[in-house]
Amino acid sequence: MLLYETAGKSTLTAILKNKLSCLPHLHSRIEAGLMIKGSVNMVIHGKNYTVKEGDAFFVPPNTIHSYEDKEEVLAHLLICPPADIAPFFGETAAYSTACPVIHLEDRHLTEQIFIRMENLAQSREPLAAQGAMSYASAIISEMLMCAKVAPGEKEKDLTAAQKILNFCDMNYKRNINLDTLSAELGYSKYYISRVFSGDIKTSFTDYLRGLRIHAAKRLLKGTNMNVTDIAYEVGYTCVRTFNRQFSQVTGISPTEYAKTRRQTTK
């Protein structure tokens, strides 16, 4: 499983997705969605939840989470910085629910708001971005009210797992290993290994590989860089290793991936 692509930290991501599966990860944004078809297993801080057709789901900022598709899925997804909806909830608001799976009072209305938000997010018309963010705020507000949770708690300090993931996300292009994390974060490498196996449910090696392959897929699809340059750009020191691991994860070679994806974007 790989991390799915999101927009930059200062923008709204609003999209209808047919795949949610991704590695455990975290980011500083609010993430919320509505399952239209199928079901997924969602893991938040090591706890498993099933999101079924018709369910909404909500992930607060800086929360370790992952998804695994159980079948063919279709879901509306929004990801936005808390600061962008601060005028609606207050600048110091934090967002959390007792359960991340939420049963909405009017699923069809929320779905229509998702669709309007997605259309505006793709529009270049004046005030479209502001309109899309207004819809995002309405969706988040509806979810919090249905979950009977009001924002207001101050953000807590990051856990060890969050600090470790943040470090990996920021430094995956470097030649890092458990000794690097231990030296720079102040945890023993044995403790870091336990955090990966216990809290993140994968190994450090597999997580780092997932980050690099995910970054490589973006470059193969969105740029004209050659495979060798991309391998070095995302942190590999051996192109042969990159080719082998990319094929193991995706089922095709980097060259084949670039050929098919670049053709579809023309």
Side-chain angles (χ1 to χ4, degrees):
M1 294 184 292
L2 293 177
L3 303 175
Y4 50 79
E5 298 178 15
T6 61
K9 292 183 179 180
S10 60
T11 61
L12 167 69
T13 296
I15 190 171
L16 182 65
K17 294 185 67 68
N18 59 10
K19 182 181 294 186
L20 289 177
S21 290
C22 62
L23 284 170
H25 66 289
L26 80 165
H27 46 69
S28 60
R29 290 155 285 177
I30 295 169
E31 184 170 319
L34 177 64
M35 187 65 61
I36 302 302
K37 177 183 178 182
S39 63
V40 301
N41 181 57
M42 178 169 64
V43 181
I44 292 186
H45 287 317
K47 294 183 179 180
N48 290 275
Y49 303 89
T50 298
V51 186
K52 301 178 181 178
E53 181 177 325
D55 289 340
F57 53 95
F58 183 87
V59 182
N62 296 313
T63 300
I64 299 173
H65 61 288
S66 64
Y67 304 102
E68 183 177 4
D69 299 341
K70 291 187 173 182
E71 53 191 310
E72 184 178 349
V73 304
L74 190 65
H76 293 287
L77 186 73
L78 76 85
I79 304 175
C80 67
D84 285 3
I85 60 170
F88 298 90
F89 299 110
E91 293 183 359
T92 61
Y95 307 87
S96 62
T97 60
C99 176
V101 182
I102 301 168
H103 302 292
L104 300 171
E105 293 182 359
D106 191 336
R107 166 208 164 171
H108 298 290
L109 176 59
T110 304
E111 184 176 358
Q112 289 302 311
I113 298 174
F114 262 106
I115 293 171
R116 294 173 186 174
M117 175 188 63
E118 290 160 0
N119 289 337
L120 284 175
Q122 298 298 320
S123 174
R124 295 185 179 181
E125 293 296 322
L127 301 180
Q130 293 92 324
M133 191 57 68
S134 296
Y135 282 129
S137 299
I139 290 168
I140 292 169
S141 177
E142 176 69 12
M143 289 186 181
L144 291 174
M145 287 190 294
C146 288
K148 296 180 175 59
V149 172
E153 294 183 2
K154 292 184 178 180
E155 188 171 309
K156 297 178 181 179
D157 292 337
L158 296 183
T159 66
Q162 290 170 329
K163 292 177 181 178
I164 289 168
L165 289 189
N166 276 334
F167 182 86
C168 292
D169 293 349
M170 295 295 294
N171 294 278
Y172 68 87
K173 295 182 181 182
R174 295 170 51 194
N175 184 22
I176 61 174
N177 52 35
L178 289 175
D179 288 324
T180 309
L181 271 67
S182 177
E184 301 207 24
L185 296 177
Y187 304 118
S188 76
K189 61 181 181 181
Y190 306 105
Y191 175 73
I192 295 171
S193 292
R194 289 199 302 271
V195 169
F196 270 102
S197 61
D199 294 344
I200 307 173
K201 308 301 182 184
T202 189
S203 68
F204 165 74
T205 301
D206 286 345
Y207 186 77
L208 182 62
R209 179 177 59 186
L211 289 175
R212 289 172 172 171
I213 297 300
H214 173 67
K217 289 174 68 177
R218 289 203 311 269
L219 294 174
L220 288 166
K221 180 180 179 180
T223 74
N224 291 319
M225 294 174 63
N226 62 52
V227 170
T228 298
D229 289 342
I230 288 175
Y232 294 136
E233 173 66 21
V234 301
Y236 283 91
T237 57
C238 175
V239 178
R240 181 178 298 178
T241 300
F242 169 67
N243 286 331
R244 184 183 69 254
Q245 292 188 354
F246 191 96
S247 298
Q248 288 174 343
V249 171
T250 66
I252 59 176
S253 70
T255 301
E256 292 172 320
Y257 184 91
K259 183 178 180 181
T260 57
R261 296 309 189 277
R262 287 171 181 172
Q263 286 178 345
T264 58
T265 57
K266 290 182 178 180

